[in-house]
Amino acid sequence: MVDYREILRLSSDPKNGQRQIAAMVHSGRDTIREVQRAAKEAGVSWPLDESVTNEELRSVLFPTRFAAESMYATPDYAYIHGELAKPGVNLTLLWTEYCKRCEQAKSTPYMYTQFCEKYRQWARITKATMRIQHKPGDAMQVDWAGNTLDIYDSVTGEVSKAYLFVAVLPCSCLAYTEVCGDMKLETWLLCHVHAYNYFGGVTRLLIPDNLKTGVKSNTRYETVLNRSYQEMAEHYDTAIVPARVEHPKDKALAEGTVKFASTWILAALRERKLFSVQEAQEAAAEKLEELNGRPFKKREGSRRSAYLEEEREFMKPLPTIPYEPAVWTPELRVGLDYLVSDGTNRYSVPFDLIGEKVVLRLTRQTVEVFYRGTRVATHLRSRRVERNPIVKTEHMPTEHRKYLTYNAEDFTEWATSVGERAAEAVRHFLTSGKEPEQGYKACVSMMKLAERYGAERLENACGRLLAFSSAPSVRTLSTILKNGQDRVSAPEKAEESAETPPHGITRGAAYFRKGGASK
């Protein structure tokens, strides 16, 4: 039998001519020429796996010539390989269609197990992507690398750690990596966005590890995802299927790519001093392009060429609206000041939610407040620390809204409409402090007293108060109105008797004339 393996091995060396190869394998030059041409057409090249036999090579290189030796119809393996890339297509369906064609041609089909085995042999020999395991555009596997990168402070020389995010497409093995300053949820989401943009499309499935930033729990019975992570998946129309706990083989390509990236990116940069995360990202991006362009060892092409040729057309398109990462906070209880905090600043919510629990949806630009699944407030998010809370007037009670509209001119105008004495009291309140605003509370209290007791009684009370005090107070004014003293007319001053000396006995002569002294 012709030694096809040895012919392909010797043909891989350009120094060997057909005469030399024919002499070494004891075959004719026509046979050598024919095998070389058939191998080129079938896409078979050296090196081959050790498990590939000469019989398997013969069936791949000359499928029609030796078909007569078998009573079974030879499947079109190239057609099968192409169809397997399409969504929903599997070997069972293709074997059924193969059997129908054999029935129409009145030939004998292979049984299902032989059909699958022969396709696997063909795929292994031709180094075609094994789509039984990984279909193009079907999944993206993601993980954090275990190793870190050192970032040096240019002033103090202190060293901080940077982390490497890794995403890989299992079919073509195309990878995306990104250096990050932390592993927080917002960073995790942004890395996914950048990975999809780098690949130029979205996969049907997203397979992460069971990290807490993405997966709350993953048990035998249910999987609970982080709300922000699930929201991102819905935006990209992909499904998150976390790997089983302690089953790294569920994302073996990601694990392998993590090790590969640790070697060709992190280890390759070990001697280089990096002074910022941005500088590290630029250096890692250069290494990433080298990694994706590096030729495969056991098949032709590279990660990038395999993606462009076999996987790109099967990726789902990116959404038309860019995704903005959003982080959901745990439940927060609204305080008496009807404010909630995003960790940096405070924002208002409708005052009738005081004491209720709400959740915040935080993006880089906005703060959204949700109560029982309904959005009740939206604010522009401030990235700097604000001295005062960010409050919308429609969230405030009526009294608080009125307070914002108060000014000295309005208080003075109102007091003048009540009376001269009320206007004098208001002027005192507005001018007794360093600033007019210090007297606003007293003026508001006077307005409430007018609503309760009436403008006329307030005017009388102010007149009575100013009669014996040049520094009126709201407390005293309220006491006068409460006790009704504003309704009692002030007694007229009795004329002093000319006989009454300015000093001495003050009881007067009449007291003694009536015998008062004897009683």
Side-chain angles (χ1 to χ4, degrees), residues 334-340 346-354 358 360 367-370 374-380 389-402 404:
V334 180
L336 295 176
D337 55 0
Y338 49 92
L339 297 174
V340 291
R346 294 176 296 165
Y347 301 86
S348 66
V349 300
F351 73 92
D352 52 0
L353 293 179
I354 291 175
V358 298
L360 306 185
V367 175
E368 297 174 283
V369 184
F370 286 80
T374 302
R375 186 172 58 189
V376 295
T378 304
H379 295 272
L380 289 176
I390 300 172
V391 180
K392 289 186 175 182
T393 55
E394 58 265 28
H395 295 162
M396 306 173 69
T398 305
E399 296 79 7
H400 292 191
R401 269 185 259 176
K402 287 183 178 179
L404 293 179

mmCIF file of all heavy atoms in Angstrom, residues 334-340 346-354 358 360 367-370 374-380 389-402 404:
data_model
loop_
_atom_site.group_PDB
_atom_site.id
_atom_site.type_symbol
_atom_site.label_atom_id
_atom_site.label_comp_id
_atom_site.label_asym_id
_atom_site.label_seq_id
_atom_site.Cartn_x
_atom_site.Cartn_y
_atom_site.Cartn_z
ATOM 1 N N VAL A 334 -35.398 55.757 52.164
ATOM 2 C CA VAL A 334 -35.445 57.215 51.999
ATOM 3 C C VAL A 334 -35.564 57.864 53.373
ATOM 4 O O VAL A 334 -36.441 57.512 54.165
ATOM 5 C CB VAL A 334 -36.627 57.625 51.110
ATOM 6 C CG1 VAL A 334 -36.658 59.137 50.936
ATOM 7 C CG2 VAL A 334 -36.523 56.937 49.747
ATOM 8 N N GLY A 335 -34.676 58.818 53.666
ATOM 9 C CA GLY A 335 -34.686 59.500 54.951
ATOM 10 C C GLY A 335 -35.710 60.614 55.025
ATOM 11 O O GLY A 335 -36.433 60.905 54.057
ATOM 12 N N LEU A 336 -35.760 61.263 56.169
ATOM 13 C CA LEU A 336 -36.718 62.353 56.372
ATOM 14 C C LEU A 336 -36.424 63.547 55.469
ATOM 15 O O LEU A 336 -37.316 64.377 55.229
ATOM 16 C CB LEU A 336 -36.693 62.793 57.841
ATOM 17 C CG LEU A 336 -37.167 61.744 58.865
ATOM 18 C CD1 LEU A 336 -36.996 62.268 60.285
ATOM 19 C CD2 LEU A 336 -38.620 61.371 58.603
ATOM 20 N N ASP A 337 -35.195 63.643 54.999
ATOM 21 C CA ASP A 337 -34.847 64.744 54.089
ATOM 22 C C ASP A 337 -35.135 64.386 52.630
ATOM 23 O O ASP A 337 -34.742 65.109 51.725
ATOM 24 C CB ASP A 337 -33.381 65.133 54.261
ATOM 25 C CG ASP A 337 -32.444 63.936 54.083
ATOM 26 O OD1 ASP A 337 -32.945 62.822 53.823
ATOM 27 O OD2 ASP A 337 -31.219 64.108 54.213
ATOM 28 N N TYR A 338 -35.817 63.250 52.387
ATOM 29 C CA TYR A 338 -36.168 62.702 51.068
ATOM 30 C C TYR A 338 -34.983 62.745 50.101
ATOM 31 O O TYR A 338 -35.099 63.139 48.945
ATOM 32 C CB TYR A 338 -37.417 63.365 50.468
ATOM 33 C CG TYR A 338 -37.458 64.888 50.479
ATOM 34 C CD1 TYR A 338 -36.993 65.630 49.402
ATOM 35 C CD2 TYR A 338 -37.992 65.567 51.574
ATOM 36 C CE1 TYR A 338 -37.027 66.994 49.405
ATOM 37 C CE2 TYR A 338 -38.035 66.950 51.581
ATOM 38 C CZ TYR A 338 -37.551 67.654 50.499
ATOM 39 O OH TYR A 338 -37.602 69.029 50.504
ATOM 40 N N LEU A 339 -33.827 62.288 50.612
ATOM 41 C CA LEU A 339 -32.607 62.219 49.807
ATOM 42 C C LEU A 339 -32.044 60.795 49.826
ATOM 43 O O LEU A 339 -32.194 60.075 50.821
ATOM 44 C CB LEU A 339 -31.546 63.183 50.342
ATOM 45 C CG LEU A 339 -31.861 64.675 50.307
ATOM 46 C CD1 LEU A 339 -30.763 65.453 50.997
ATOM 47 C CD2 LEU A 339 -32.053 65.161 48.877
ATOM 48 N N VAL A 340 -31.400 60.393 48.725
ATOM 49 C CA VAL A 340 -30.684 59.128 48.641
ATOM 50 C C VAL A 340 -29.297 59.421 48.071
ATOM 51 O O VAL A 340 -29.091 60.427 47.390
ATOM 52 C CB VAL A 340 -31.420 58.095 47.747
ATOM 53 C CG1 VAL A 340 -32.695 57.631 48.408
ATOM 54 C CG2 VAL A 340 -31.699 58.666 46.365
ATOM 55 N N ARG A 346 -25.781 63.333 47.075
ATOM 56 C CA ARG A 346 -27.151 63.029 47.483
ATOM 57 C C ARG A 346 -28.129 63.624 46.472
ATOM 58 O O ARG A 346 -27.927 64.739 45.975
ATOM 59 C CB ARG A 346 -27.427 63.592 48.877
ATOM 60 C CG ARG A 346 -26.602 62.933 49.984
ATOM 61 C CD ARG A 346 -26.851 63.590 51.324
ATOM 62 N NE ARG A 346 -26.393 64.979 51.310
ATOM 63 C CZ ARG A 346 -26.732 65.889 52.224
ATOM 64 N NH1 ARG A 346 -27.547 65.569 53.201
ATOM 65 N NH2 ARG A 346 -26.267 67.124 52.151
ATOM 66 N N TYR A 347 -29.187 62.852 46.203
ATOM 67 C CA TYR A 347 -30.189 63.248 45.210
ATOM 68 C C TYR A 347 -31.581 63.111 45.817
ATOM 69 O O TYR A 347 -31.826 62.241 46.663
ATOM 70 C CB TYR A 347 -30.075 62.364 43.962
ATOM 71 C CG TYR A 347 -28.721 62.421 43.294
ATOM 72 C CD1 TYR A 347 -27.684 61.593 43.709
ATOM 73 C CD2 TYR A 347 -28.474 63.307 42.261
ATOM 74 C CE1 TYR A 347 -26.436 61.647 43.111
ATOM 75 C CE2 TYR A 347 -27.230 63.361 41.646
ATOM 76 C CZ TYR A 347 -26.220 62.535 42.073
ATOM 77 O OH TYR A 347 -24.980 62.594 41.473
ATOM 78 N N SER A 348 -32.495 63.964 45.362
ATOM 79 C CA SER A 348 -33.842 63.975 45.932
ATOM 80 C C SER A 348 -34.745 62.955 45.258
ATOM 81 O O SER A 348 -34.543 62.561 44.106
ATOM 82 C CB SER A 348 -34.452 65.370 45.779
ATOM 83 O OG SER A 348 -34.661 65.682 44.401
ATOM 84 N N VAL A 349 -35.758 62.510 46.013
ATOM 85 C CA VAL A 349 -36.835 61.675 45.503
ATOM 86 C C VAL A 349 -38.144 62.318 45.964
ATOM 87 O O VAL A 349 -38.137 63.180 46.847
ATOM 88 C CB VAL A 349 -36.730 60.229 46.036
ATOM 89 C CG1 VAL A 349 -35.418 59.598 45.623
ATOM 90 C CG2 VAL A 349 -36.863 60.195 47.557
ATOM 91 N N PRO A 350 -39.288 61.966 45.385
ATOM 92 C CA PRO A 350 -40.556 62.544 45.853
ATOM 93 C C PRO A 350 -40.724 62.362 47.360
ATOM 94 O O PRO A 350 -40.474 61.282 47.898
ATOM 95 C CB PRO A 350 -41.600 61.756 45.062
ATOM 96 C CG PRO A 350 -40.888 61.368 43.803
ATOM 97 C CD PRO A 350 -39.478 61.098 44.206
ATOM 98 N N PHE A 351 -41.145 63.436 48.041
ATOM 99 C CA PHE A 351 -41.187 63.426 49.508
ATOM 100 C C PHE A 351 -42.149 62.399 50.081
ATOM 101 O O PHE A 351 -41.997 61.953 51.225
ATOM 102 C CB PHE A 351 -41.565 64.828 50.031
ATOM 103 C CG PHE A 351 -43.015 65.186 49.812
ATOM 104 C CD1 PHE A 351 -43.969 64.934 50.781
ATOM 105 C CD2 PHE A 351 -43.430 65.771 48.626
ATOM 106 C CE1 PHE A 351 -45.301 65.259 50.587
ATOM 107 C CE2 PHE A 351 -44.757 66.092 48.412
ATOM 108 C CZ PHE A 351 -45.693 65.834 49.399
ATOM 109 N N ASP A 352 -43.145 61.968 49.276
ATOM 110 C CA ASP A 352 -44.085 60.984 49.799
ATOM 111 C C ASP A 352 -43.487 59.580 49.869
ATOM 112 O O ASP A 352 -44.156 58.630 50.306
ATOM 113 C CB ASP A 352 -45.367 60.959 48.968
ATOM 114 C CG ASP A 352 -45.086 60.796 47.476
ATOM 115 O OD1 ASP A 352 -43.907 60.703 47.111
ATOM 116 O OD2 ASP A 352 -46.053 60.756 46.696
ATOM 117 N N LEU A 353 -42.200 59.417 49.463
ATOM 118 C CA LEU A 353 -41.514 58.130 49.588
ATOM 119 C C LEU A 353 -40.654 58.065 50.845
ATOM 120 O O LEU A 353 -39.876 57.117 51.015
ATOM 121 C CB LEU A 353 -40.624 57.875 48.364
ATOM 122 C CG LEU A 353 -41.352 57.662 47.029
ATOM 123 C CD1 LEU A 353 -40.342 57.455 45.911
ATOM 124 C CD2 LEU A 353 -42.285 56.458 47.110
ATOM 125 N N ILE A 354 -40.790 59.048 51.730
ATOM 126 C CA ILE A 354 -40.023 59.034 52.978
ATOM 127 C C ILE A 354 -40.344 57.755 53.755
ATOM 128 O O ILE A 354 -41.502 57.403 53.967
ATOM 129 C CB ILE A 354 -40.353 60.276 53.831
ATOM 130 C CG1 ILE A 354 -39.802 61.537 53.156
ATOM 131 C CG2 ILE A 354 -39.780 60.146 55.241
ATOM 132 C CD1 ILE A 354 -40.161 62.831 53.842
ATOM 133 N N VAL A 358 -36.016 52.128 48.075
ATOM 134 C CA VAL A 358 -35.855 52.335 46.639
ATOM 135 C C VAL A 358 -34.512 51.758 46.210
ATOM 136 O O VAL A 358 -33.654 51.454 47.047
ATOM 137 C CB VAL A 358 -35.921 53.832 46.266
ATOM 138 C CG1 VAL A 358 -37.271 54.423 46.634
ATOM 139 C CG2 VAL A 358 -34.802 54.611 46.970
ATOM 140 N N LEU A 360 -31.297 52.324 43.146
ATOM 141 C CA LEU A 360 -30.751 53.287 42.192
ATOM 142 C C LEU A 360 -30.113 52.549 41.021
ATOM 143 O O LEU A 360 -29.463 51.519 41.205
ATOM 144 C CB LEU A 360 -29.695 54.172 42.852
ATOM 145 C CG LEU A 360 -30.090 54.923 44.125
ATOM 146 C CD1 LEU A 360 -28.953 55.831 44.546
ATOM 147 C CD2 LEU A 360 -31.360 55.715 43.919
ATOM 148 N N VAL A 367 -28.611 59.280 37.223
ATOM 149 C CA VAL A 367 -29.018 58.551 38.421
ATOM 150 C C VAL A 367 -30.526 58.361 38.325
ATOM 151 O O VAL A 367 -31.278 59.340 38.297
ATOM 152 C CB VAL A 367 -28.665 59.316 39.713
ATOM 153 C CG1 VAL A 367 -29.217 58.591 40.943
ATOM 154 C CG2 VAL A 367 -27.169 59.494 39.838
ATOM 155 N N GLU A 368 -30.967 57.094 38.246
ATOM 156 C CA GLU A 368 -32.386 56.795 38.156
ATOM 157 C C GLU A 368 -32.829 56.104 39.442
ATOM 158 O O GLU A 368 -32.140 55.198 39.934
ATOM 159 C CB GLU A 368 -32.683 55.895 36.958
ATOM 160 C CG GLU A 368 -32.349 56.539 35.623
ATOM 161 C CD GLU A 368 -32.527 55.579 34.473
ATOM 162 O OE1 GLU A 368 -31.654 54.718 34.285
ATOM 163 O OE2 GLU A 368 -33.545 55.686 33.770
ATOM 164 N N VAL A 369 -33.966 56.547 39.978
ATOM 165 C CA VAL A 369 -34.496 55.999 41.225
ATOM 166 C C VAL A 369 -35.728 55.168 40.896
ATOM 167 O O VAL A 369 -36.659 55.667 40.234
ATOM 168 C CB VAL A 369 -34.851 57.122 42.224
ATOM 169 C CG1 VAL A 369 -35.298 56.526 43.553
ATOM 170 C CG2 VAL A 369 -33.658 58.046 42.425
ATOM 171 N N PHE A 370 -35.753 53.908 41.372
ATOM 172 C CA PHE A 370 -36.871 53.003 41.103
ATOM 173 C C PHE A 370 -37.529 52.589 42.413
ATOM 174 O O PHE A 370 -36.847 52.246 43.388
ATOM 175 C CB PHE A 370 -36.392 51.749 40.361
ATOM 176 C CG PHE A 370 -36.051 51.993 38.925
ATOM 177 C CD1 PHE A 370 -34.829 52.544 38.561
ATOM 178 C CD2 PHE A 370 -36.964 51.683 37.921
ATOM 179 C CE1 PHE A 370 -34.518 52.773 37.240
ATOM 180 C CE2 PHE A 370 -36.657 51.907 36.588
ATOM 181 C CZ PHE A 370 -35.434 52.459 36.248
ATOM 182 N N THR A 374 -40.826 50.776 39.336
ATOM 183 C CA THR A 374 -41.227 51.962 38.562
ATOM 184 C C THR A 374 -40.236 53.090 38.801
ATOM 185 O O THR A 374 -39.868 53.371 39.954
ATOM 186 C CB THR A 374 -42.638 52.420 38.971
ATOM 187 O OG1 THR A 374 -43.557 51.346 38.775
ATOM 188 C CG2 THR A 374 -43.070 53.620 38.136
ATOM 189 N N ARG A 375 -39.813 53.723 37.721
ATOM 190 C CA ARG A 375 -38.889 54.846 37.869
ATOM 191 C C ARG A 375 -39.635 56.067 38.374
ATOM 192 O O ARG A 375 -40.610 56.511 37.765
ATOM 193 C CB ARG A 375 -38.230 55.153 36.520
ATOM 194 C CG ARG A 375 -37.137 56.222 36.614
ATOM 195 C CD ARG A 375 -36.382 56.351 35.311
ATOM 196 N NE ARG A 375 -37.271 56.669 34.204
ATOM 197 C CZ ARG A 375 -36.892 56.676 32.941
ATOM 198 N NH1 ARG A 375 -35.655 56.378 32.634
ATOM 199 N NH2 ARG A 375 -37.760 56.967 31.988
ATOM 200 N N VAL A 376 -39.166 56.617 39.489
ATOM 201 C CA VAL A 376 -39.862 57.745 40.116
ATOM 202 C C VAL A 376 -39.036 59.028 40.068
ATOM 203 O O VAL A 376 -39.574 60.105 40.348
ATOM 204 C CB VAL A 376 -40.224 57.411 41.581
ATOM 205 C CG1 VAL A 376 -41.225 56.270 41.646
ATOM 206 C CG2 VAL A 376 -38.968 57.053 42.390
ATOM 207 N N ALA A 377 -37.759 58.946 39.729
ATOM 208 C CA ALA A 377 -36.937 60.163 39.681
ATOM 209 C C ALA A 377 -35.716 59.909 38.797
ATOM 210 O O ALA A 377 -35.208 58.784 38.717
ATOM 211 C CB ALA A 377 -36.492 60.577 41.073
ATOM 212 N N THR A 378 -35.262 60.967 38.131
ATOM 213 C CA THR A 378 -34.069 60.912 37.288
ATOM 214 C C THR A 378 -33.257 62.184 37.509
ATOM 215 O O THR A 378 -33.820 63.288 37.526
ATOM 216 C CB THR A 378 -34.430 60.783 35.800
ATOM 217 O OG1 THR A 378 -35.263 59.637 35.609
ATOM 218 C CG2 THR A 378 -33.188 60.638 34.954
ATOM 219 N N HIS A 379 -31.954 62.033 37.680
ATOM 220 C CA HIS A 379 -31.052 63.175 37.854
ATOM 221 C C HIS A 379 -29.839 63.014 36.947
ATOM 222 O O HIS A 379 -29.425 61.888 36.651
ATOM 223 C CB HIS A 379 -30.563 63.273 39.302
ATOM 224 C CG HIS A 379 -31.627 63.567 40.310
ATOM 225 N ND1 HIS A 379 -32.013 64.839 40.646
ATOM 226 C CD2 HIS A 379 -32.402 62.724 41.054
ATOM 227 C CE1 HIS A 379 -32.963 64.778 41.575
ATOM 228 N NE2 HIS A 379 -33.220 63.508 41.822
ATOM 229 N N LEU A 380 -29.268 64.123 36.510
ATOM 230 C CA LEU A 380 -27.956 64.091 35.871
ATOM 231 C C LEU A 380 -26.927 63.809 36.954
ATOM 232 O O LEU A 380 -26.927 64.463 38.002
ATOM 233 C CB LEU A 380 -27.655 65.421 35.180
ATOM 234 C CG LEU A 380 -28.470 65.729 33.919
ATOM 235 C CD1 LEU A 380 -28.123 67.126 33.414
ATOM 236 C CD2 LEU A 380 -28.198 64.694 32.843
ATOM 237 N N PRO A 389 -26.933 68.959 48.439
ATOM 238 C CA PRO A 389 -27.640 67.889 47.709
ATOM 239 C C PRO A 389 -28.279 68.414 46.436
ATOM 240 O O PRO A 389 -28.587 69.617 46.320
ATOM 241 C CB PRO A 389 -28.696 67.418 48.723
ATOM 242 C CG PRO A 389 -28.889 68.561 49.651
ATOM 243 C CD PRO A 389 -27.561 69.242 49.742
ATOM 244 N N ILE A 390 -28.466 67.528 45.471
ATOM 245 C CA ILE A 390 -29.093 67.882 44.198
ATOM 246 C C ILE A 390 -30.591 67.610 44.342
ATOM 247 O O ILE A 390 -31.007 66.451 44.429
ATOM 248 C CB ILE A 390 -28.473 67.076 43.049
ATOM 249 C CG1 ILE A 390 -26.963 67.378 42.962
ATOM 250 C CG2 ILE A 390 -29.169 67.375 41.724
ATOM 251 C CD1 ILE A 390 -26.204 66.505 41.989
ATOM 252 N N VAL A 391 -31.390 68.683 44.376
ATOM 253 C CA VAL A 391 -32.813 68.571 44.701
ATOM 254 C C VAL A 391 -33.644 69.188 43.586
ATOM 255 O O VAL A 391 -33.314 70.267 43.074
ATOM 256 C CB VAL A 391 -33.132 69.273 46.040
ATOM 257 C CG1 VAL A 391 -34.617 69.151 46.371
ATOM 258 C CG2 VAL A 391 -32.289 68.695 47.163
ATOM 259 N N LYS A 392 -34.717 68.495 43.195
ATOM 260 C CA LYS A 392 -35.690 69.033 42.256
ATOM 261 C C LYS A 392 -36.876 69.576 43.042
ATOM 262 O O LYS A 392 -37.354 68.939 43.981
ATOM 263 C CB LYS A 392 -36.157 67.958 41.278
ATOM 264 C CG LYS A 392 -35.097 67.551 40.264
ATOM 265 C CD LYS A 392 -35.670 66.592 39.226
ATOM 266 C CE LYS A 392 -34.641 66.284 38.148
ATOM 267 N NZ LYS A 392 -35.203 65.378 37.111
ATOM 268 N N THR A 393 -37.375 70.760 42.640
ATOM 269 C CA THR A 393 -38.455 71.400 43.400
ATOM 270 C C THR A 393 -39.732 70.561 43.408
ATOM 271 O O THR A 393 -40.476 70.573 44.387
ATOM 272 C CB THR A 393 -38.759 72.781 42.809
ATOM 273 O OG1 THR A 393 -39.046 72.642 41.398
ATOM 274 C CG2 THR A 393 -37.575 73.714 42.971
ATOM 275 N N GLU A 394 -39.988 69.786 42.332
ATOM 276 C CA GLU A 394 -41.214 68.988 42.303
ATOM 277 C C GLU A 394 -41.184 67.845 43.302
ATOM 278 O O GLU A 394 -42.230 67.232 43.579
ATOM 279 C CB GLU A 394 -41.460 68.427 40.897
ATOM 280 C CG GLU A 394 -40.353 67.561 40.350
ATOM 281 C CD GLU A 394 -39.387 68.331 39.471
ATOM 282 O OE1 GLU A 394 -39.238 69.549 39.691
ATOM 283 O OE2 GLU A 394 -38.789 67.719 38.573
ATOM 284 N N HIS A 395 -40.000 67.526 43.849
ATOM 285 C CA HIS A 395 -39.910 66.472 44.868
ATOM 286 C C HIS A 395 -40.183 67.002 46.273
ATOM 287 O O HIS A 395 -40.299 66.212 47.204
ATOM 288 C CB HIS A 395 -38.523 65.838 44.840
ATOM 289 C CG HIS A 395 -38.224 65.111 43.573
ATOM 290 N ND1 HIS A 395 -36.935 64.773 43.183
ATOM 291 C CD2 HIS A 395 -39.040 64.641 42.599
ATOM 292 C CE1 HIS A 395 -36.977 64.133 42.028
ATOM 293 N NE2 HIS A 395 -38.239 64.052 41.652
ATOM 294 N N MET A 396 -40.302 68.317 46.437
ATOM 295 C CA MET A 396 -40.394 68.928 47.764
ATOM 296 C C MET A 396 -41.839 69.099 48.202
ATOM 297 O O MET A 396 -42.744 69.271 47.370
ATOM 298 C CB MET A 396 -39.692 70.292 47.745
ATOM 299 C CG MET A 396 -38.254 70.261 47.256
ATOM 300 S SD MET A 396 -37.530 71.892 47.042
ATOM 301 C CE MET A 396 -37.415 72.392 48.746
ATOM 302 N N PRO A 397 -42.104 69.068 49.522
ATOM 303 C CA PRO A 397 -43.443 69.419 50.010
ATOM 304 C C PRO A 397 -43.779 70.870 49.677
ATOM 305 O O PRO A 397 -42.885 71.679 49.381
ATOM 306 C CB PRO A 397 -43.329 69.215 51.523
ATOM 307 C CG PRO A 397 -42.105 68.369 51.726
ATOM 308 C CD PRO A 397 -41.194 68.700 50.602
ATOM 309 N N THR A 398 -45.072 71.211 49.750
ATOM 310 C CA THR A 398 -45.505 72.570 49.398
ATOM 311 C C THR A 398 -44.806 73.619 50.249
ATOM 312 O O THR A 398 -44.376 74.667 49.749
ATOM 313 C CB THR A 398 -47.029 72.690 49.563
ATOM 314 O OG1 THR A 398 -47.657 71.667 48.794
ATOM 315 C CG2 THR A 398 -47.517 74.047 49.087
ATOM 316 N N GLU A 399 -44.673 73.337 51.553
ATOM 317 C CA GLU A 399 -44.043 74.309 52.442
ATOM 318 C C GLU A 399 -42.585 74.559 52.066
ATOM 319 O O GLU A 399 -42.105 75.698 52.099
ATOM 320 C CB GLU A 399 -44.128 73.823 53.895
ATOM 321 C CG GLU A 399 -45.534 73.702 54.442
ATOM 322 C CD GLU A 399 -46.229 72.434 53.967
ATOM 323 O OE1 GLU A 399 -45.555 71.599 53.316
ATOM 324 O OE2 GLU A 399 -47.442 72.291 54.212
ATOM 325 N N HIS A 400 -41.891 73.492 51.695
ATOM 326 C CA HIS A 400 -40.481 73.653 51.322
ATOM 327 C C HIS A 400 -40.340 74.396 49.994
ATOM 328 O O HIS A 400 -39.405 75.167 49.803
ATOM 329 C CB HIS A 400 -39.817 72.281 51.220
ATOM 330 C CG HIS A 400 -39.693 71.584 52.538
ATOM 331 N ND1 HIS A 400 -38.945 70.450 52.713
ATOM 332 C CD2 HIS A 400 -40.235 71.870 53.757
ATOM 333 C CE1 HIS A 400 -39.025 70.054 53.983
ATOM 334 N NE2 HIS A 400 -39.813 70.896 54.624
ATOM 335 N N ARG A 401 -41.280 74.167 49.097
ATOM 336 C CA ARG A 401 -41.244 74.899 47.823
ATOM 337 C C ARG A 401 -41.465 76.390 48.042
ATOM 338 O O ARG A 401 -40.820 77.231 47.409
ATOM 339 C CB ARG A 401 -42.303 74.340 46.878
ATOM 340 C CG ARG A 401 -41.805 73.230 45.988
ATOM 341 C CD ARG A 401 -42.849 72.818 45.009
ATOM 342 N NE ARG A 401 -43.498 71.594 45.439
ATOM 343 C CZ ARG A 401 -44.505 71.011 44.827
ATOM 344 N NH1 ARG A 401 -44.995 71.560 43.740
ATOM 345 N NH2 ARG A 401 -45.032 69.903 45.276
ATOM 346 N N LYS A 402 -42.406 76.691 48.925
ATOM 347 C CA LYS A 402 -42.661 78.111 49.233
ATOM 348 C C LYS A 402 -41.421 78.767 49.807
ATOM 349 O O LYS A 402 -41.105 79.915 49.507
ATOM 350 C CB LYS A 402 -43.824 78.234 50.216
ATOM 351 C CG LYS A 402 -45.192 77.942 49.611
ATOM 352 C CD LYS A 402 -46.279 78.155 50.649
ATOM 353 C CE LYS A 402 -47.664 77.908 50.054
ATOM 354 N NZ LYS A 402 -48.734 78.087 51.076
ATOM 355 N N LEU A 404 -38.391 78.285 49.190
ATOM 356 C CA LEU A 404 -37.411 78.643 48.169
ATOM 357 C C LEU A 404 -37.755 79.937 47.447
ATOM 358 O O LEU A 404 -36.880 80.598 46.887
ATOM 359 C CB LEU A 404 -37.284 77.502 47.144
ATOM 360 C CG LEU A 404 -36.684 76.184 47.652
ATOM 361 C CD1 LEU A 404 -36.649 75.169 46.525
ATOM 362 C CD2 LEU A 404 -35.279 76.410 48.202
#
